Each structure stands twice: as structure tokens, then as C-alpha cells.
């Protein structure tokens, strides 16, 4: 087994790292403080191809593999986790389901502008009454000639305000449970669509999170992704890819907190010597590094499996779960190493700790990831034992 990067993978990692250092680091603390989205930087990232990482060149994308994707999201999130999630969502939760389930016409119309960064994508699954229980959907789409009329509300939509299109799960047949759900691409300017007020959040404050309300919203039938009845399949397979992105985001947050800690232990003096000389600190650094490296390998395993064209549901759930728990653990250690200063906004680690928390929640909580992993494991056992 060879874990050496290809030239392309090295290149995207370097580009993301340099962009994060040069363009994201200068304003990240201020954007966190004021809850501002880095819109100009996202446009620049789009021009560099970061919004169409999976999309093939014929649809305006970079046509790169999933290792490139997780490397890019990790490097961006290492400095700015809000930009990390925005880039992850437009690639994974909007672009990827259009690429996987869309017709050629839908890919030209919706994927190409996403991949070129002319438009930003979002994903509408969660509702007030449908969080972990994604199947409890109540947003209804009723067929009316060449249109669906969509009524309902979606919650906690990342990029809700700035997105141009929303991959949205709706109920097209109430009598059929999960087989009665469908997936629609809904454009921002559709009549009957309104964006609700912004959520005020603990972390990732540089990404906007809104409700999206559909009031008899008219959506062309031509915007149906896959077939009627495949809504849950579209949403859950998009989440396989999305969870890899959140794993990468969490890993970046953890790595960023370790970077900050390494710098701090060299400069901070106590008892007449730098913190790095104390074994209590060295043990923390060692555990932080070990957990980050282990998380990275799990993430790369998921990415490699996806690129082999195999089902990677269990692997992406394991990667997301382990990376997010690592991020929470590592950022807690980072704040501890920084002592009182770590609790202030003078140092970045308090933001890392706040940003890390959501990675254990969105795109499926840690508890849901454990259910998905166990279901995959038991299915493998059943297959192996007839
Ligand atoms: N890929 C393709 N198809 C899949 C799939 C996958 N990974 N997982 C399930 N499916 C298919 C199944 O085969 C099934 O199809 P059939 O009916 O044709 O057999 C269908 O989808 C339904 O599957 P299940 O019955 O397994 O689904 P379920 O209802 O039992 O799922 C659950 C249970 C795993 C808990 C699921 O509800 C779940 O993942 N919940 C968490 C939801 C979540 O992650 N929400 C996050 C929202 S996005 C977000 O956070 C906002 C943001 O902007 C970042």
C-alpha cells in the first residue's frame, strides 16, 4: 500500500494551504466576531476550482479525486472552519448528488455553474420535526402539470442566505414512507421561496445558517433528481460524501489547534523555562498528534473507498465520528495548554473549540454515525455468514 500523494493531490494541498494562510488567516477572527461570511475569498476559491472538486471538466469542474477533496477541506479548515464547511457543502451536498443522480441536462444547468463557482449550493433536509430522524419529512411537493408546488420549511441550512440553489428533500407520496420522498433542485429565485432569519451560533460563525421556507413554491418537474421515491437515497448518499467533508473539516480544526499549541509552548515561559520542556505538556502534544494522525488515516480510507467506486457509507461515518471527536478532544487540550490565555479571544484556540462542537452534530450526530457504522458492520457479518 502506497500513501504517497500524486502531483495533483500535492498541488491542491499546497494551493489550499497557501490560500488559507494568505487570504483566510488575516480576517478569520474578525469574521468570527461579527458573524460575517468570507464572500470574496469564496469567490476566489471558486475561480481556483475549489467549488467543483468532484465535477468533471466537461461540467466546469476540476475532476479531482476524494483524497484531493479531503486535503483541500482540511487545509482550509485548519485556518477557517467556516470557509471549510461552505466549500464542503457546495461540493458534497449540492454538486455531488447532481453529479450522481442528475441527467446530462441537469448537470449542465445546475452542476456547471456550481463547479465554476458562479453559483453556491446548499442542502435542505433537516426540518423542525425531522433532525436525526431524517425520514420524518413534512415538506410536501404536489404535482401540478409541469411543476411541483412545494410547501414546508427546512431548518439549519448552511449557506442558506448566500446559496443560489438548494438540493431539497420533499414528500411526493405521503402513503409510502421513505419511498414517498423525492429530491428537487430548487433555485433561490423560485416564486414562493423565502430565506428565514440567521441562526446565532456558538461556532462556525463565519458561515450563514438559515431556515428556508417554501410557500406554494413552484418548481419545474424537470428539476427532479433521480426518480420520484428516491429522495432518501439521494439525501443519504449525498451525506456519505458530506460526512467525509465534515471529517476533513474537523481534522483541519484539530490540526489548527495543534499548530497553535506548538507555537505557544515555544514562546510561553513558566518556572523559568518554555512550556515545551515540561513532560505534562509533551504528553498532551503526543496524544494530540497521535489522535490526529489516526483520524487522518480513517478519513483517507473513506476517500480511497469512494474513489474505487465502492459503497463507503460505513467508512465515511467512521471518519466523521472519529475526526469530530478528535477535534473536540484536541481543541480542549489546546485550550488547557494555553491556560487562561486559551480562554480569551487573544489566541485562536477558543474559536477552534467552539467550531469543533458542530462537527459532532451536523450531517448526522455522533449517535447517528454509531448507528450507521453498526448497521454496516452487521450487514457485512450477515453477508459473510450467509
Ligand atoms: N446511499 C444510498 N442509499 C442509501 C444510503 C446511502 N448511504 N443509506 C440509505 N439509503 C437508502 C436505503 O437503501 C433506502 O432505500 P430503499 O427504501 O429503496 O431500500 C432508503 O435510502 C432509506 O434508507 P433507510 O431505511 O436505511 O433510512 P433510515 O430512515 O432508516 O435512515 C438514519 C436512518 C441512518 C438514522 C438516517 O435517517 C440518518 O442518517 N439520519 C441523520 C440525518 C442527517 O445526517 N442529517 C443531517 C442534515 S444535513 C446538515 O447537517 C445541514 C448542513 O447544511 C450541513
Amino acid at each position: 500500500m502506497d500513501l504517497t500523494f500524486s502531483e495533483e493531490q500535492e498541488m491542491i494541498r499546497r494551493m489550499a494551504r497557501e490560500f488559507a494562510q494568505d487570504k483566510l488567516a488575516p480576517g478569520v477572527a474578525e469574521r468570527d466576531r461579527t458573524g460575517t461570511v468570507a464572500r470574496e475569498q469564496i469567490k476566489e476559491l471558486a475561480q481556483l476550482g475549489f467549488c467543483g472538486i468532484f465535477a468533471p471538466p466537461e461540467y466546469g469542474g476540476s475532476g479531482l479525486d476524494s483524497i484531493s477533496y479531503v486535503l483541500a477541506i482540511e487545509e482550509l479548515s485548519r485556518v477557517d472552519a467556516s470557509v471549510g464547511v461552505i466549500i464542503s457543502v457546495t461540493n458534497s451536498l449540492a454538486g455531488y448528488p447532481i453529479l450522481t443522480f442528475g441527467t446530462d441536462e441537469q448537470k449542465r444547468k445546475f452542476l456547471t455553474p456550481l463547479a465554476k463557482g458562479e453559483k453556491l449550493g446548499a442542502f435542505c433536509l433537516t426540518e423542525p420535526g425531522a433532525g436525526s430522524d431524517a425520514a420524518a419529512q413534512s415538506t410536501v411537493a404536489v404535482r401540478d402539470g409541469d411543476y411541483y408546488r412545494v410547501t414546508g420549511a427546512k431548518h439549519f441550512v448552511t449557506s442558506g442566505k448566500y446559496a443560489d440553489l438548494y438540493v431539497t428533500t420533499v414528500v411526493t407520496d405521503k402513503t409510502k414512507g421513505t419511498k414517498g420522498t423525492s429530491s428537487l433542485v430548487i433555485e433561490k429565485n423560485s416564486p414562493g421561496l423565502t430565506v428565514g432569519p440567521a441562526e446565532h451560533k456558538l461556532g462556525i460563525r463565519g458561515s450563514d445558517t438559515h431556515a428556508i421556507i417554501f410557500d406554494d413554491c413552484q418548481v419545474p418537474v424537470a428539476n427532479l433528481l433521480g426518480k420520484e421515491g428516491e429522495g432518501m437515497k439521494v439525501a443519504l448518499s449525498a451525506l456519505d460524501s458530506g460526512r467525509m467533508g465534515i471529517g476533513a473539516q474537523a481534522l483541519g480544526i484539530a490540526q489548527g489547534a495543534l499548530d497553535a499549541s506548538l507555537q505557544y509552548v515555544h514562546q510561553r515561559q513558566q518556572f523559568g523555562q518554555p512550556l515545551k520542556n515540561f513532560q505534562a505538556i509533551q504528553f498532551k502534544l503526543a496524544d494530540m498528534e497521535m489522535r490526529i494522525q489516526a483520524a487522518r488515516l480513517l478519513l483517507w480510507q473513506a476517500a480511497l473507498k469512494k474513489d474505487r467506486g465502492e459503497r463507503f457509507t460505513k467508512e465515511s461515518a467512521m471518519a466523521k465520528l472519529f475526526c469530530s471527536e478528535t477535534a473536540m478532544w484536541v481543541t480542549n487540550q489546546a485550550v488547557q495548554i494555553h491556560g487562561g490565555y486559551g480562554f480569551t479571544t487573544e489566541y485562536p484556540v477558543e474559536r477552534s473549540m467552539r467550531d469543533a462542537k458542530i462537527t459532532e452534530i451536523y450531517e448526522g450526530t455522533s449517535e447517528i454515525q454509531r448507528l450507521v457504522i453498526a448497521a454496516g458492520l452487521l450487514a457485512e457479518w450477515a453477508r459473510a455468514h450467509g
Side-chain angles (χ1 to χ4, degrees):
M1 200 167 92
D2 184 5
L3 286 177
T4 322
F5 294 134
S6 68
E7 263 180 44
E8 268 181 344
Q9 291 163 346
E10 269 298 357
M11 189 188 69
I12 193 158
R13 181 159 80 155
R14 196 177 52 248
M15 275 170 71
R17 185 173 293 177
E18 286 172 2
F19 187 92
Q21 281 307 331
D22 298 346
K23 305 281 174 84
L24 298 179
V28 61
E30 181 63 6
R31 287 192 297 276
D32 172 68
R33 196 180 66 76
T34 55
T36 306
V37 175
R39 296 194 71 199
E40 284 310 313
Q41 290 87 337
I42 286 162
K43 270 190 208 144
E44 275 187 62
L45 279 169
Q47 281 155 9
L48 293 170
F50 283 89
C51 289
I53 296 177
F54 298 131
E58 70 256 40
Y59 298 115
S62 306
L64 296 176
D65 60 13
S66 303
I67 291 285
S68 304
Y69 172 64
V70 295
L71 290 174
I73 302 295
E74 180 189 339
E75 289 298 336
L76 297 174
S77 306
R78 189 172 174 179
V79 173
D80 188 335
S82 296
V83 167
V85 72
I86 293 168
I87 298 295
S88 174
V89 165
T90 197
N91 275 287
S92 277
L93 295 184
Y96 179 71
I98 298 170
L99 177 66
T100 312
F101 293 94
T103 60
D104 181 57
E105 201 186 327
Q106 288 172 331
K107 288 179 205 173
R108 287 190 194 289
K109 183 167 179 197
F110 300 124
L111 180 60
T112 301
L114 283 184
K116 288 184 173 170
E118 295 160 1
K119 292 189 173 174
L120 194 64
F123 180 71
C124 293
L125 175 68
T126 303
E127 299 184 352
S132 289
D133 184 6
Q137 296 283 308
S138 65
T139 296
V140 173
V142 178
R143 182 86 186 250
D144 180 9
D146 290 340
Y147 289 89
Y148 287 105
R149 292 187 169 279
V150 180
T151 300
K154 297 290 179 177
H155 267 205
F156 302 144
V157 179
T158 299
S159 300
K161 181 171 173 190
Y162 294 116
D164 303 279
L165 58 86
Y166 306 86
V167 171
T168 305
T169 309
V170 294
V171 178
T172 40
D173 187 340
K174 281 184 191 167
T175 64
K176 290 190 177 159
T178 52
K179 286 192 180 5
T181 59
S182 302
S183 178
L184 297 176
V185 180
I186 305 187
E187 293 181 271
K188 166 82 134 302
N189 57 5
S190 306
L193 184 154
T194 49
V195 177
E199 300 290 347
H200 299 286
K201 300 172 299 185
L202 174 73
I204 56 160
R205 289 173 40 77
S207 81
D208 66 303
T209 307
H210 292 257
I212 302 295
I213 298 121
F214 304 103
D215 182 9
D216 201 22
C217 174
Q218 224 176 301
V219 182
V221 170
N223 292 16
L224 176 70
L225 278 184
K227 299 192 193 91
E228 270 197 15
E230 289 189 336
M232 212 37 73
K233 193 169 143 187
V234 174
L236 294 179
S237 67
L239 281 166
D240 286 347
S241 172
R243 287 168 184 168
M244 237 171 47
I246 300 307
Q249 184 205 21
L251 190 58
I253 295 170
Q255 184 63 59
L258 178 56
D259 297 341
S261 302
L262 283 168
Q263 200 174 345
Y264 188 76
V265 299
H266 282 83
Q267 76 194 40
R268 174 74 171 159
Q269 300 269 336
Q270 286 294 280
F271 304 102
Q273 45 187 323
L275 287 193
K276 76 177 173 62
N277 290 358
F278 295 99
Q279 208 173 42
I281 296 291
Q282 291 173 4
F283 283 2
K284 283 193 197 301
L285 294 174
D287 285 342
M288 290 158 90
E289 170 72 353
M290 178 186 67
R291 290 184 194 219
I292 287 172
Q293 296 281 5
R296 194 172 280 125
L297 287 176
L298 263 185
L299 185 64
W300 290 354
Q301 172 184 255
L304 289 171
K305 203 161 181 206
K306 175 172 178 285
D307 287 341
R308 285 201 301 269
E310 294 169 29
R311 178 95 178 236
F312 62 107
T313 303
K314 187 185 82 173
E315 286 70 21
S316 71
M318 290 195 297
K320 197 254 187 197
L321 175 61
F322 198 82
C323 290
S324 57
E325 292 190 345
T326 297
M328 229 23 246
W329 189 87
V330 166
T331 56
N332 189 24
Q333 299 305 313
V335 170
Q336 192 68 20
I337 287 172
H338 283 69
Y341 290 108
F343 201 63
T344 71
T345 53
E346 195 177 331
Y347 287 86
V349 289
E350 61 82 33
R351 185 178 71 251
S352 307
M353 193 188 206
R354 287 187 287 105
D355 286 348
K357 184 58 204 169
I358 190 60
T359 67
E360 293 186 320
I361 298 172
Y362 61 13
E363 301 202 24
T365 61
S366 299
E367 292 73 15
I368 290 295
Q369 305 312 321
R370 287 188 166 85
L371 287 181
V372 171
I373 296 163
L377 181 64
L378 292 169
E380 281 165 16
W381 192 93
R383 274 197 298 278
H385 294 82

